[in-house]
């Protein structure tokens, strides 16, 4: 294996690969050009599995769609629809759980599904914000699955099992996707023995949601829900190691009417335009990847192929380019379940020299002690320079499934009210963090180009706090709004290109199996992740 260039801007790496590598060929140059084309494709962000009070959950559907529009390109809000092998009489401890499921299914069939579909259809805005209908099927034996529908007139079928669900939907344009895969088999964990290889109905799996991460049985985001711990047999690596081919994505599985809730899981689709046909075709080809929350820009190609593709070849020219939203911890190139190359981000870094500095700055709002929501209204503004882009980091309430005694609440929708090249005006609601491991803050990432002495000011709720870019490169700053144990504003340490960008090109000519698989995993220092769909090389 030969590494050609690492941790440099993309185009420098491409030039090094094509002009400085003595082993380079015309095909190498073509691979580089193809990688540029892939990298320039649109990356559209959505959440195709989340819940509100249409069945069981919190928040109205109308508010859920409004929340989705604030930080997503497309979404499907998902009713819970059926559970063919529900353990109705097996354990009296479960009677309350069984009852709320059965009640939700009945309400959906008594006119709820038709009203839901009509609302999703009326909310579709071609080229601006796209909606899909969906519904969820639980299964003890096969694991839970989400039906994503291309057409709004897809019926709510009545299956006796997950395989029967898929058979009853053969005549319709749907994707049927397993989720929270890592639970114990027989207890709603995924049954890989039933995975349908080369079935166009199941091109991808959901490896991350509020339930946790099912990449493996170890690592970040353990399964903590009362449904039980994660196990290896339900994991993505187990499926890949058994020769299955599938794309990787994430969804929130959020139960509080907030599609795309930051940090809970999202899908990214590589397509030429924000068009339903384009997105649907790309999802079917596995041209997708998963992120926990941050819009991490992941570009990955082998011999000119896109993530999700199956190709042939003994020599593999691997291109990777990542632009994160925060400081990169590391980027792994995984081959057959093992990291063959790790790009480490900087443990520390200085502000780049120059009259203008390209940087990213995250500002967070929250930490209040009281149960009541804090309403934030105000503006982030630069004294000089320019805001190149911004990323909202808006969270919904931290619900995953109903609990006894919970009462319905109205979703607080966070909004960007206005923006220009110098300012972003925000209207947000934060609540206290429910515990020391679960964040509930709201936030925004600003990508800026400004001079070291230019100032960023947060003007919220009648108070102003200001720092130069130079001061923000020195470290994180924070302010209580009403004294100790009150709500806070936090300016995170500014990140330079050195900290949030990583690129590499490597050659791998070592064939290990009849079919080798490769994928990219990206971890930021703040715990946000991205995972590409694999590329398989035969």
């Amino acid at each position: 294996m030969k590494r050609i260039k690492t941790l440099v801007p993309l185009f420098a790496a491409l030039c090094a690969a094509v002009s400085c590598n003595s082993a380079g060929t015309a095909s190498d140059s073509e691979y580089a050009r193809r990688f540029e084309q892939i990298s320039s494709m649109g990356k559209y962000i959505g959440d195709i599995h989340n819940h509100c009070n249409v069945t069981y959950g919190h928040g109205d559907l109308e508010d859920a769609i409004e929340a989705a529009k604030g930080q997503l390109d497309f979404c499907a809000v998902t009713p819970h629809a059926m559970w063919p092998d529900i353990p109705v009489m097996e354990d009296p401890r479960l009677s309350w759980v069984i009852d709320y499921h059965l009640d939700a299914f009945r309400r959906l069939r008594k006119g709820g599904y038709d009203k839901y579909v009509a609302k999703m259809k009326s909310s579709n805005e071609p080229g601006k914000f796209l909606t899909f209908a969906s519904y969820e099927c639980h299964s003890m034996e096969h694991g839970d699955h989400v039906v994503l529908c291309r057409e709004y007139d897809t019926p709510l079928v009545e299956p006796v099992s997950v395989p029967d669900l898929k058979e009853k939907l053969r005549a319709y344009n749907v994707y049927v996707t397993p989720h929270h895969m890592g639970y114990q088999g027989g207890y709603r964990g995924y049954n890989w023995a039933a995975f349908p290889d080369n079935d166009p109905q199941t091109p991808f799996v959901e490896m991350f949601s509020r339930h946790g991460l099912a990449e493996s049985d170890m690592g970040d985001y353990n399964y903590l829900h009362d449904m039980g711990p994660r196990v290896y047999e339900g994991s993505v690596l187990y499926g890949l190691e058994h020769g299955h081919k599938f794309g990787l994505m994430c969804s929130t599985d959020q139960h509080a009417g907030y599609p795309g809730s930051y940090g809970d899981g999202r899908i990214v689709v590589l397509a030429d335009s924000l068009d339903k046909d384009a997105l649907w075709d790309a999802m079917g080809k596995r041209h997708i990847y998963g992120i926990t929350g941050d819009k991490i820009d992941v570009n990955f190609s082998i011999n000119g192929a896109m993530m999700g593709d199956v190709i042939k070849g003994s020599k593999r020219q691997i291109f990777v380019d990542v632009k994160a939203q925060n400081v990169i911890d590391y980027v792994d190139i995984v081959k057959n379940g093992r990291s063959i190359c790790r790009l480490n981000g900087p443990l520390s870094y200085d502000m780049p020299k120059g009259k203008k500095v390209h940087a990213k700055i995250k500002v967070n709002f929250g930490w209040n002690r009281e149960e009541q929501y804090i309403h934030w209204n105000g503006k982030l503004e630069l004294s000089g320079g320019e805001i190149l882009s911004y990323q909202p980091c808006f969270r919904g309430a931290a619900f995953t499934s109903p609990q006894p005694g919970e009462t319905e609440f109205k979703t607080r929708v966070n909004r960007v009210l206005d923006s220009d090249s110098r300012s972003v005006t925000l209207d947000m609601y934060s609540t206290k963090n429910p515990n020391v491991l679960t964040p509930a803050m709201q936030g925004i990432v600003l990508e800026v180009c400004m001079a070291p002495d230019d100032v960023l000011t947060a003007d919220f709720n009648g108070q102003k706090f200001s720092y130069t870019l130079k001061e923000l490169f020195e470290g994180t700053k924070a302010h209580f709004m009403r004294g100790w144990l009150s709500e806070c504003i936090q300016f995170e340490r500014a990140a330079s290109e050195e900290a949030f960008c990583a690129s590499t090109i490597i050659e791998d000519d070592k064939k290990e199996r009849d079919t080798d698989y490769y994928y990219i995993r990206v971890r930021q220092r703040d715990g946000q992740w991205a995972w590409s769909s694999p590329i398989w090389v035969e």
Side-chain angles (χ1 to χ4, degrees):
M1 181 185 300
K2 182 177 182 180
R3 182 181 300 179
I4 298 173
K5 201 75 173 178
T6 64
L7 289 172
V8 295
L10 169 63
F11 295 109
L14 292 175
C15 293
V18 174
S19 62
C20 299
N21 176 21
S22 60
T25 65
S27 62
D28 294 337
S29 178
E30 180 59 34
Y31 296 156
R33 283 192 289 271
R34 175 61 180 151
F35 183 58
E36 288 187 57
Q37 293 173 353
I38 293 170
S39 302
S40 66
M41 294 182 71
K43 295 182 176 68
Y44 300 104
I45 297 177
D47 181 7
I48 56 178
H49 173 204
N50 58 89
H51 306 282
C52 67
N53 65 9
V54 168
T55 48
Y56 62 84
H58 297 277
D60 295 335
L61 178 58
E62 185 171 353
D63 288 334
I65 293 170
E66 188 65 25
K69 289 180 179 180
Q71 51 189 359
L72 300 176
D73 298 306
F74 64 97
C75 85
V77 183
T78 312
H80 300 90
M82 60 202 65
W83 190 345
D85 58 357
I86 191 168
V88 177
M89 300 299 293
E90 294 181 5
D91 189 338
R93 293 181 306 112
L94 305 179
S95 59
W96 180 79
V97 176
I98 301 306
D99 288 347
Y100 77 67
H101 282 89
L102 294 177
D103 179 64
F105 302 156
R106 283 191 291 266
R107 286 188 285 109
L108 188 64
R109 283 156 179 78
K110 291 181 178 179
Y113 185 66
D114 291 340
K115 292 179 181 178
Y116 153 77
V117 170
K119 180 60 181 177
M120 296 304 293
K121 184 176 181 179
S122 67
S123 301
N124 190 60
E125 302 177 54
K128 185 177 179 182
F129 177 78
L130 305 182
T131 64
F132 295 87
S134 66
Y135 56 85
E136 182 173 350
C137 173
H138 304 319
S139 172
M140 300 293 280
E141 179 183 1
H142 294 98
D144 291 13
H145 287 66
V146 175
V147 177
L148 184 69
C149 308
R150 172 60 183 85
E151 284 78 34
Y152 295 108
D153 59 358
T154 305
L156 188 63
V157 298
E158 301 296 340
V160 297
S161 66
V162 169
D164 185 52
L165 168 75
K166 300 182 76 171
E167 192 58 38
K168 282 181 164 60
L169 289 168
R170 288 291 174 196
Y172 303 93
N173 205 356
V174 300
Y175 296 136
V176 184
T177 305
H179 82 92
H180 61 43
M181 308 167 61
Y183 286 117
Q184 184 79 27
Y187 295 93
R188 294 171 64 182
Y190 190 59
N191 181 357
W192 280 108
F195 185 81
D197 279 315
N198 301 315
D199 184 347
Q201 277 190 327
T202 306
F204 47 82
V205 303
E206 180 189 292
M207 67 180 293
F208 174 85
S209 71
R210 283 191 62 83
H211 285 264
L213 173 61
E215 180 185 21
S216 181
D217 53 341
M218 300 183 292
D220 286 2
Y221 300 110
N222 195 6
Y223 276 33
L224 303 177
H225 190 279
D226 52 21
M227 286 173 60
R230 64 182 172 189
V231 298
Y232 178 60
E233 288 75 10
S235 70
V236 161
L237 281 177
Y238 182 92
L240 290 171
E241 286 296 292
H242 281 73
H244 300 302
K245 295 183 176 68
F246 48 84
L248 300 179
M249 49 79 78
C250 308
S251 304
T252 62
D253 197 7
Q254 221 261 351
H255 282 62
Y258 219 101
S261 177
Y262 178 74
D264 293 339
R266 301 171 178 176
I267 181 175
V268 184
V269 180
L270 280 67
D272 291 324
S273 63
L274 185 58
D275 170 81
K276 290 195 82 168
D277 287 334
L279 293 188
W280 195 263
D281 181 62
M283 285 190 280
K285 294 177 179 177
R286 303 182 293 242
H287 294 167
I288 61 172
Y289 64 94
I291 55 177
T292 55
D294 273 336
K295 297 178 181 179
I296 302 173
D297 187 352
V298 177
N299 299 291
F300 168 46
S301 176
I302 301 178
N303 294 0
M306 293 178 64
M307 60 181 77
D309 288 347
V310 181
I311 62 174
K312 296 182 182 294
S314 56
K315 173 186 172 185
R316 297 95 187 257
Q317 192 95 341
I318 304 172
F319 294 78
V320 176
D321 182 63
V322 174
K323 297 179 181 66
Q325 294 289 345
N326 210 298
V327 179
I328 290 174
D329 191 3
Y330 54 80
V331 179
D332 280 335
I333 301 176
V334 177
K335 177 184 180 184
N336 298 335
R338 292 174 172 81
S339 176
I340 60 170
C341 176
R342 171 165 286 190
L343 311 180
N344 289 304
L347 184 62
S348 61
Y349 52 90
D350 298 319
M351 185 179 70
K353 296 180 180 179
K355 293 182 179 179
K356 295 286 185 180
V357 176
H358 182 202
K360 292 191 177 182
I361 307 166
K362 186 176 184 182
V363 185
N364 296 304
F365 305 80
W367 287 278
N368 48 289
R369 185 179 179 87
E370 297 86 355
E371 296 291 340
Q372 294 83 4
Y373 276 86
I374 298 297
H375 185 194
W376 298 88
N377 191 277
K379 178 187 293 188
L380 293 167
E381 189 168 20
L382 303 184
S383 66
E386 182 181 5
I387 298 174
L388 304 175
S389 69
Y390 63 84
Q391 175 202 256
C393 305
F394 295 155
R395 291 182 169 94
F399 292 104
T400 302
S401 64
Q403 299 298 324
E406 286 176 355
T407 57
E408 177 64 27
F409 75 100
K410 181 175 176 59
T411 300
R412 276 77 170 178
V413 178
N414 304 290
R415 294 179 172 88
V416 176
L417 299 180
D418 194 18
S419 66
D420 56 36
S421 63
R422 288 281 181 90
S423 66
V424 179
T425 302
L426 302 169
D427 186 78
M428 303 174 296
Y429 297 85
S430 73
T431 186
K432 72 174 187 178
N433 300 322
N435 54 62
V436 295
L437 296 177
T438 304
M441 305 91 70
Q442 309 301 342
I444 189 166
V445 177
L446 303 180
E447 181 179 13
V448 301
C449 182
M450 52 193 293
D453 292 329
D454 287 338
V455 174
L456 171 62
T457 296
D459 183 355
F460 283 84
N461 297 0
Q463 296 200 54
K464 290 185 179 181
F465 307 101
S466 299
Y467 291 98
T468 65
L469 181 61
K470 181 179 179 181
E471 288 173 324
L472 292 175
F473 265 98
E474 293 171 354
T476 298
K477 319 293 183 184
H479 294 275
F480 288 106
M481 298 293 287
R482 295 179 291 132
W484 187 55
L485 299 183
S486 73
E487 63 274 16
C488 296
I489 293 179
Q490 179 195 50
F491 298 78
E492 291 191 12
R493 182 193 295 265
S496 63
E497 282 190 353
E498 172 197 6
F500 65 78
C501 292
S503 300
T504 191
I505 306 172
I506 67 173
E507 288 181 6
D508 180 23
D509 57 5
K510 184 179 179 182
K511 172 186 170 183
E512 295 181 355
R513 305 175 180 178
D514 289 340
T515 301
D516 296 317
Y517 68 85
Y518 302 78
Y519 70 94
I520 304 304
R521 59 202 301 268
V522 181
R523 188 184 194 277
Q524 295 183 167
R525 290 271 293 280
D526 63 357
Q528 297 292 321
W529 278 86
W531 300 268
S532 78
S533 287
I535 297 174
W536 292 266
V537 184
E538 298 176 344

